[in-house]
Amino acid sequence: MPEKRPAGLGIEYFNAGRFERAAACFRAALAAGDRAPGTAVFLAHALASAGRPKEAARALTALLRKRPGHLPASLALAALLRR
């Protein structure tokens, strides 16, 4: 059986409601060089779900600096700011 990558594990933990563990996996994926913008968006969703909206907003803002106009990040940030 192939070993799961950190982002894949993060999705599994997120779906299981283990948001802190999911965030740790997404952070590990980014630190290991994962450049997929979705990984940063998933990190933000995990952080927000773990009750850390300010950290989530920082993650999304950092992504938007690199990828201005990234729609999923923009929508996620807007949702956080509406709370």
Side-chain angles (χ1 to χ4, degrees):
M1 178 189 275
E3 185 176 326
K4 294 221 185 244
R5 294 181 181 204
L9 284 173
I11 291 169
E12 289 185 18
Y13 281 122
F14 185 90
N15 289 336
R18 297 184 64 195
F19 305 120
E20 292 289 347
R21 186 71 181 122
C25 288
F26 295 128
R27 281 190 200 279
L30 292 167
D34 185 334
R35 297 290 177 249
T39 303
V41 174
F42 278 124
L43 169 61
H45 284 302
L47 290 168
S49 296
R52 295 159 55 190
K54 289 180 183 177
E55 287 180 66
R58 283 194 295 271
L60 292 167
T61 300
L63 173 59
L64 287 167
R65 282 191 193 110
K66 294 176 190 171
R67 301 272 310 255
H70 186 266
L71 186 58
S74 297
L75 293 173
L77 183 58
L80 275 174
L81 295 175
R82 280 195 308 259
R83 288 184 182 180

